[in-house]
Amino acid sequence: MNYTELVSNIQSFIEDDSTELSNSINTIISQAEEMIFQRLPSLPCFRKTTSGNLVVGTFDYDVANARMIRQVSITNSSNIVFLDHRVDSYIRDYWPNSATTSVPRMYSTKDASTSGITITLAPTPDSTYAFGVDFIAPETGLSSSNSNSWIGDNAEAVLLAAALYETSAFLKAQETLTLYKGQFDEAVTLFQQEMARNYTAEYNGGI
């Protein structure tokens, strides 16, 4: 379901072609996509990765656009090593002198902003190890300048139900609000089952 189809479906299902609704549809769609992200953060379209090289003596690194960090790894002597996740206080207690360097073993989430997340490594890197960060971030949403998205192409029922739920809230239509919330919850549950199959090996999962 592309952007034009979604806009048309919202207006057809709700049976409202008022200027007030038309002017708010982009916001409604954005809110619906955000709700899907919060309910289904493990969708393939939200899984991102970034990589680079560490800087000797630098322990803080910004992960642009990240909303959640999945895992952090470094390459040491050709071996990929995944760092342990710890809270800030543990990191500071474990490595109190950040000027001392060694091979990083763990990371913490230091802070977050609208531009992404900052992670702290400990020990402070003693070499320019290659690193990788797997993280979660929203995909580019549907709009007049972005006709298609992964969710629109692969999770139409979830997207439409979320958009109709948000539209009902906008119009303060209690009857359809209840109806489309139920449809959204059901669509999310079904898609979670699909994702469980996607992320589970058939042999190990007994599927």
Side-chain angles (χ1 to χ4, degrees), residues 62-83:
D62 295 327
V63 185
N65 304 315
R67 289 273 293 272
M68 289 175 272
I69 303 296
R70 292 180 54 225
Q71 55 199 14
V72 179
S73 65
I74 65 169
T75 301
N76 185 14
S77 299
S78 299
N79 295 317
I80 296 177
V81 179
F82 287 92
L83 307 187

Side-chain angles (χ1 to χ4, degrees), residues 13 21 27 52 68 78 92 109 128 130 132 138 155 157 168 172 178 182 195-196:
F13 276 71
L21 177 59
T27 299
M68 289 175 272
S78 299
R92 290 192 296 269
T109 300
T128 56
S168 297
K172 299 178 177 61
T178 302
M195 288 299 97

Side-chain angles (χ1 to χ4, degrees), residues 11 19 25 35 67 105 115 137 145 153 163-164 166 168 177 182 197:
Q11 293 172 323
T19 301
I25 276 188
M35 186 164 58
R67 289 273 293 272
R105 294 182 53 193
S115 60
S145 59
D153 293 342
L164 293 174
E166 288 292 340
S168 297
L177 181 69
R197 291 183 63 90

Side-chain angles (χ1 to χ4, degrees), residues 56-165:
V56 176
T58 299
F59 48 85
D60 283 346
Y61 294 84
D62 295 327
V63 185
N65 304 315
R67 289 273 293 272
M68 289 175 272
I69 303 296
R70 292 180 54 225
Q71 55 199 14
V72 179
S73 65
I74 65 169
T75 301
N76 185 14
S77 299
S78 299
N79 295 317
I80 296 177
V81 179
F82 287 92
L83 307 187
D84 293 326
H85 183 210
R86 295 289 187 268
V87 296
D88 285 341
S89 57
Y90 186 98
I91 292 281
R92 290 192 296 269
D93 184 59
Y94 169 76
W95 205 254
N97 185 358
S98 59
T100 304
T101 62
S102 186
V103 181
R105 294 182 53 193
M106 57 191 69
Y107 75 96
S108 69
T109 300
K110 181 178 180 180
D111 56 41
S113 68
T114 55
S115 60
I117 290 176
T118 300
I119 60 173
T120 299
L121 306 185
T124 303
D126 62 349
S127 184
T128 56
Y129 305 102
F131 75 92
V133 180
D134 296 322
F135 63 96
I136 301 293
E139 68 170 340
T140 301
L142 291 174
S143 67
S144 57
S145 59
N146 186 55
S147 297
N148 293 85
S149 67
W150 189 96
I151 292 174
D153 293 342
N154 296 278
E156 292 187 10
V158 178
L159 176 60
L160 180 58
L164 293 174
Y165 175 48

